[in-house]
């Protein structure tokens, strides 16, 4: 009879640098499937092999992605205009609507077996948001959630409400993929080409804009986010040596 394997709260951290969106998406899918296959094997064979957890940091060249419940009308560019902007476009299998990824944006993809932590997707999203909120607080900024709108915001309840971090995830059998996109030194002009997350009448912002500086140290921001992620998830983070991309 299957008995639950011991909870593995170790998370391998990989910083992949600047990589094409599709290449990292395929890599996520590979890791996601490997964890799922191991869980299925554990259940079928009664084994207790620990499932791994990953956290991928990456920065993408200009790309727009549309979630499975998204509306194509929220992309305001045609194929020719996308090429002129040097951007690509993908329909993907996460939740949420349309978003943008590009230089100056920290993208985090936690690929976790939530059975190693807790089995609650709502809690998972709220803790991801909290990691960003706590990071913002270290820069003296009061970020928060906006009811019914996943992600991290500034100026909620005012005419100047603006999103600084978008989130969209996929989960199956408590295994997660996709994650968050935190604007740190982002070119906000690229958001003019979409209706971000399908939300009209609200803006987007970036950490450097909010701080009134030309550039924020992205490595420092990454360290702060991981620190808070580790604390909130009670996770043990270790840097992975090498992750072959698909």
């Amino acid at each position: 009879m299957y008995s639950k394997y011991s909870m593995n709260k170790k998370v391998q951290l990989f910083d992949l640098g600047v990589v094409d969106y599709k290449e990292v998406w395929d890599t996520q899918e590979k890791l996601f499937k490997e964890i799922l296959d191991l869980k299925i094997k554990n259940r079928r064979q009664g084994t207790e092999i620990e499932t791994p957890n990953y956290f991928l940091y990456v920065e993408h060249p200009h790309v727009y992605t549309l979630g499975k419940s998204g509306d194509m009308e929220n992309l305001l560019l045609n194929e020719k205009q996308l090429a002129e902007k040097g951007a690509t476009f993908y329909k993907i299998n996460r939740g949420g609507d349309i978003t943008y990824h590009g230089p100056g944006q920290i993208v985090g993809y936690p690929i976790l077996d939530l059975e190693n932590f807790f089995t609650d997707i709502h809690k998972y999203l709220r803790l991801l948001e909290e990691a960003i909120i706590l990071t913002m607080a270290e820069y003296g900024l009061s970020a928060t959630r906006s009811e019914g709108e996943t992600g991290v915001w500034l100026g909620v309840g005012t005419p100047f409400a603006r999103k600084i971090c978008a989130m969209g995830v996929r989960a199956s059998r408590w295994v997660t993929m996709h994650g968050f996109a935190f604007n740190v030194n982002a070119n906000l002009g690229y958001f003019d080409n979409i209706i971000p997350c399908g939300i009209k009448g609200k803006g987007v912002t970036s950490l450097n804009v909010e701080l009134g500086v030309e550039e924020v140290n992205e490595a420092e921001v990454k360290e702060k986010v991981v620190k808070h992620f580790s604390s909130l998830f009670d996770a043990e983070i270790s840097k992975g040596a090498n992750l072959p991309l698909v």
Side-chain angles (χ1 to χ4, degrees):
M1 184 179 205
Y2 169 73
S3 61
K4 180 69 177 74
Y5 48 81
S6 59
M7 296 171 71
N8 174 28
K9 294 195 173 186
K10 296 178 181 178
V11 179
Q12 297 179 66
L13 172 66
F14 294 92
D15 192 334
L16 305 179
V18 180
V19 185
D20 176 76
Y21 184 85
K22 184 64 164 59
E23 194 172 2
V24 180
W25 183 16
D26 289 343
T27 300
Q28 284 191 77
E29 290 279 11
K30 178 176 179 288
L31 298 175
F32 181 82
K33 184 178 185 300
E34 287 174 355
I35 298 173
L36 284 177
D37 288 348
L38 181 53
K39 294 187 74 167
I40 291 169
K41 178 181 178 181
N42 277 336
R43 282 171 168 78
R44 286 179 176 171
Q45 300 184 9
T47 52
E48 300 184 15
I49 304 170
E50 287 186 344
T51 49
N53 306 289
Y54 304 94
F55 189 120
L56 312 184
Y57 265 138
V58 68
E59 187 174 306
H60 294 303
H62 302 296
V63 60
Y64 297 101
T65 67
L66 183 71
K68 57 187 178 182
S69 58
D71 187 342
M72 272 297 298
E73 291 187 2
N74 292 326
L75 174 63
L76 307 179
L77 299 175
N78 58 34
E79 191 171 334
K80 180 182 177 183
Q81 291 169 324
L82 278 169
E84 289 172 349
K85 295 284 184 182
T88 53
F89 170 76
Y90 293 100
K91 290 183 179 179
I92 62 174
N93 55 359
R94 60 161 170 78
D97 206 283
I98 196 163
T99 194
Y100 159 78
H101 300 310
Q105 185 185 74
I106 292 174
V107 179
Y109 296 131
I111 305 169
L112 312 177
D113 179 0
L114 287 183
E115 286 193 284
N116 286 323
F117 303 92
F118 48 77
T119 50
D120 185 330
I121 293 296
H122 178 81
K123 179 179 179 180
Y124 173 64
L125 286 167
R126 300 296 79 80
L127 290 187
L128 286 184
E129 291 168 342
E130 189 67 16
I132 304 300
I133 290 169
L134 292 172
T135 298
M136 298 277 289
E138 291 201 55
Y139 290 94
L141 297 171
S142 180
T144 187
R145 300 172 181 85
S146 180
E147 187 174 353
E149 298 171 331
T150 301
V152 178
W153 298 74
L154 291 158
V156 172
T158 77
F160 307 105
R162 54 213 184 274
K163 179 178 276 191
I164 196 164
C165 184
M167 294 186 180
V169 304
R170 176 191 175 196
S172 177
R173 296 178 183 263
W174 301 114
V175 181
T176 69
M177 63 178 288
H178 298 297
F180 65 85
F182 185 10
N183 298 332
V184 177
N185 297 304
N187 181 342
L188 299 179
Y190 275 81
F191 286 96
D192 294 339
N193 305 315
I194 59 174
I195 300 173
C197 302
I199 301 170
K200 296 180 179 180
K202 294 184 179 180
V204 292
T205 190
S206 185
L207 185 57
N208 65 324
V209 172
E210 295 298 325
L211 295 176
V213 300
E214 184 175 344
E215 186 174 354
V216 178
N217 185 322
E218 292 179 28
E220 180 183 85
V221 177
K222 289 177 182 179
E223 288 178 2
K224 292 180 186 301
V225 172
V226 165
K227 175 186 68 177
H228 294 301
F229 175 91
S230 176
S231 176
L232 291 164
F233 284 80
D234 190 24
E236 181 184 336
I237 308 291
S238 63
K239 290 187 178 181
N242 182 48
L243 180 66
L245 296 174
V246 173

